[in-house]
Amino acid sequence: MAEPFEPKITAFVCNWCTYAGADLTGTSRIKYQPNVRVIRLPCTGRIDFMMVLKAFTRGSDGVIISGCHPNDCHYTSGNYHARRRWMVFRDLLEFVGIDLERIIFSWVSAAEGAKWADLVNEVTSKVRALGPYRELRQLAAVGID
Amino acid sequence: MEALQTKAKELLAAGTVQVAIGYGKGTGNARRPLFVTKPERAADLIVDAACTQNLATYLTKHEVRVMGRMAVVAVPSTLRSILQLAAEKQIREEQVLALAVIDGQVRELATFEAIEEAVATIPDAMSEADRNMIDKLSAMSVPERRAFWADELVRCVKCYACRASCPMCYCERCTTDVNRPQWIPVASHAVGNLEYHVMRAMHLAGRCVECGTCGKACPVGIPVHLLTIYAEDSVRRQFGQRGGASAKLDYAMSTFKPDDKEEFIR
């Protein structure tokens, strides 16, 4: 019998807020779904949109992008710049026919350990319900049999 | 057309410019770029409805720049490109002179200020076919659009003609050339093609002047210009800024407003 589907979630998080927040989740002994793979980057401004595409083509079923709340950026304005980029990126992705349900954006501060746990749980159940992500991966497999 | 030829001849003869970049006769009714360096050859310059390529692409090319000051025959989108290049510090005022062709009239625009003024009076002219195409695509469902683009992009042979024809794609080292990491697979492949075209549109968002030259350059007829035009349109809708309006940097993606919308962020 095939194993039940367990989604793989890639989380691109900033070093200063969300990574520290996720750390707090652990030190607070809050349990959450183990489906998430955290990738730590200096800032949300460092999250190139190409990373999101690569995450999907390499096997992610969902992507979480999270960083400091507005006004809390360690580099003053990295999250504001990132937010603009996502606004256009989301628009463009929809235009090329990639649905946005699997890309979740969030602000999680270093004090919000519980919010991180909730976010991961919520996203994992949502993606579990959506099922495996096939569209981009099918494209990636074209010609490789 | 004669006015343009006379103007180019005068400029070349007087030594005001060393090269005039314009349109010449190509195969059949097509037009191709023409680089005129001698006054007597100015008679080969053509201006008509078939002249649509954005010649601003050549303004950043080393081979052209070494000739000296450049005069460029400019359709409205070329004027916008010159401003955007100026804003991005890719060209100086003394390097270029625009011979603007607006409604059949030839005007010599020697300063960025003059170009800004001229551009401000020209209405946006997205072709009807492009407008219809974008409307048609926007009305589709997401899976329909996915199928549409998959069908189009599968033909992409990664010749990068869209990149080469674009005045704003002047980077000495493009993301497509990077192989550590290999952002864009070298081979033509369904997913790599999609990634490449999304990347191109993202890098042009807020800088694109919507000339559509990339789409015309495509040898397999993929409407790649729709992606960049759509991204540019998205920037204009959301931030009220656009590429090629001013010689001072006004790039929507390099700035922000604290109250940019964020209902998609939880």
Side-chain angles (χ1 to χ4, degrees), chain A residues 49 54 57 77 80-81 83-85 87 90-91 94-97 105-107 122 135 139-140 142, chain B residues 145-146 149 183 189 191 195 202 234 237-239 252 254-258 260 262 264-266:
Chain A
F49 58 87
K54 290 290 174 200
T57 53
S77 58
Y80 286 124
H81 285 110
R83 186 171 64 184
R84 279 218 155 180
R85 199 177 310 146
M87 285 162 76
R90 279 166 48 91
D91 221 9
E94 273 213 307
F95 188 66
V96 297
F105 298 87
S106 179
W107 304 132
E122 205 179 309
E135 287 86 8
L139 273 188
V142 168
Chain B
R145 276 201 293 269
R146 180 164 58 239
W149 284 111
W183 287 119
H189 180 272
V191 79
E195 284 170 338
M202 276 301 286
S234 169
R237 259 185 289 122
Q238 302 190 81
F239 313 124
S254 70
T255 179
F256 63 87
K257 287 202 181 99
D260 280 335
E262 58 165 21
F264 65 93
I265 306 172
R266 55 178 85 177

Side-chain angles (χ1 to χ4, degrees), chain A residues 9 11-13 24 26 35 40 42 48-49 53 55 61 63 65 68 77 99 103 105 109 116 120 124 126 129 144-145:
Chain A
I9 315 280
F12 295 103
V13 304
L24 180 66
N35 302 52
R40 176 169 67 157
D48 194 308
F49 58 87
L53 289 180
D61 299 299
V63 168
I65 296 171
C68 306
S77 58
D99 68 56
I103 310 176
F105 298 87
S109 82
W116 173 252
V120 172
T124 308
K126 185 180 170 188
I144 308 166
D145 288 328

Side-chain angles (χ1 to χ4, degrees), chain B residues 3-95:
Chain B
L4 174 77
Q5 291 168 352
T6 322
K7 193 93 209 158
K9 194 174 176 181
E10 278 170 22
L11 289 170
L12 286 165
T16 318
V17 299
Q18 279 69 48
V19 56
I21 310 169
Y23 305 94
K25 194 173 162 16
T27 314
N29 289 326
R31 300 289 173 252
R32 65 180 183 81
L34 187 69
F35 299 83
V36 182
T37 49
K38 295 191 180 76
E40 60 271 24
R41 300 301 298 274
D44 295 343
L45 288 170
I46 297 177
V47 183
D48 59 19
C51 301
T52 50
Q53 190 196 341
N54 189 342
L55 297 176
T57 310
Y58 300 105
L59 298 177
T60 50
K61 299 280 182 277
H62 175 73
E63 298 84 339
V64 183
R65 283 191 165 191
V66 291
M67 291 181 191
R69 192 170 189 211
M70 305 167 280
V72 59
V73 177
V75 293
S77 53
T78 314
L79 293 176
R80 290 190 201 280
S81 297
I82 294 172
L83 291 180
Q84 188 63 27
L85 287 171
E88 294 177 13
K89 302 266 186 291
Q90 296 303 313
I91 195 159
R92 292 191 309 276
E93 208 162 62
E94 64 270 21
Q95 288 178 305

Side-chain angles (χ1 to χ4, degrees), chain B residues 124-135:
Chain B
D124 288 337
M126 191 192 294
S127 80
E128 198 156 323
D130 290 347
R131 174 48 66 197
N132 289 342
M133 218 34 213
I134 288 187
D135 287 347

